[in-house]
Amino acid sequence: MERDIRLNWETITEEARRRREARGMTQSHLAALAKVSRSTLSRFENKSGDVQLSSVLRILSVLDMVDRKLEGALLLRRSNDGSFTASFAPNFGGGALEAKSFPDRDALSSFLNEIGISEEAKRQAFLQLDQEQITSIAQVQLSADRLEHYWPIQFRHGKSQKAFQ
């Protein structure tokens, strides 16, 4: 299958260098953290020669330029007043869970659509909520940006980055 994917390599390499320098890192330090040779990093930053994609991804990951996803379970609760809450429990790490509130079933359903929960998983979750007022949806994968957006206290930037590494 042919895909038409274009990367602005100039922007990527410039931003990577900018982030490295802003963090006060030498090429040798970044190369060590990314587990690539300093010459590989130099070729990447100078756009001179081939660099394996796996090496580029390791470099970009160290510089927080790759959107990694965290897998966990979405915990849903229904209150007696008809409102709902959703919390995200990561499979690894975590700490105290933050609850996101929804005034009604429609608002929760819209949220579940927004984060990519399948219709079947939603249907099962609502059945369980009607019967027991609590349920979970396993194997949910969310990006750091989404986690920070929906649960800003639990996944604030500095804290969430540690969970992804």
Side-chain angles (χ1 to χ4, degrees):
M1 172 189 288
E2 185 177 327
R3 295 193 175 143
D4 186 20
I5 299 173
R6 296 177 192 267
L7 297 174
N8 187 331
W9 199 248
E10 185 79 20
T11 300
I12 292 169
T13 57
E14 286 175 13
E15 178 63 15
R17 181 189 300 257
R18 186 196 66 72
R19 287 185 187 206
R20 176 181 63 78
E21 291 172 349
R23 294 175 185 189
M25 299 170 88
T26 64
Q27 280 189 340
S28 296
H29 185 207
L30 175 55
L33 290 173
K35 297 182 174 110
V36 301
S37 68
R38 198 201 61 73
S39 63
T40 296
L41 181 59
S42 179
R43 282 194 319 274
F44 167 73
E45 284 190 352
N46 296 314
K47 299 167 286 299
S48 60
D50 292 334
V51 178
Q52 289 185 354
L53 181 58
S54 59
S55 296
V56 171
L57 291 173
R58 285 197 302 272
I59 294 165
L60 297 179
S61 289
V62 171
L63 297 170
D64 297 322
M65 293 177 66
V66 175
D67 189 19
R68 295 164 287 213
K69 292 189 176 186
L70 185 61
E71 185 174 301
L74 195 61
L75 308 175
L76 306 175
R77 291 183 185 266
R78 180 174 57 95
S79 300
N80 291 333
D81 66 2
S83 65
F84 295 85
T85 60
S87 302
F88 184 80
N91 288 349
F92 301 102
L97 301 183
E98 179 180 358
K100 180 168 177 55
S101 299
F102 302 91
D104 55 36
R105 187 181 198 102
D106 288 340
L108 176 59
S109 182
S110 293
F111 169 73
L112 295 175
N113 286 338
E114 191 175 316
I115 63 170
I117 303 300
S118 72
E119 288 301 317
E120 179 58 22
K122 275 180 31 184
R123 186 185 70 74
Q124 296 225 356
F126 280 118
L127 282 172
Q128 184 108 23
L129 284 168
D130 289 343
Q131 293 172 359
E132 301 178 29
Q133 294 187 304
I134 189 168
T135 191
S136 66
I137 302 172
Q139 297 180 323
V140 175
Q141 292 188 358
L142 296 173
S143 69
D145 288 344
R146 281 206 168 169
L147 289 167
E148 188 174 355
H149 175 75
Y150 294 121
W151 295 281
I153 296 169
Q154 183 181 354
F155 295 101
R156 68 184 169 267
H157 181 69
K159 184 177 178 183
S160 68
Q161 292 306 313
K162 290 179 184 160
F164 285 82
Q165 295 177 356

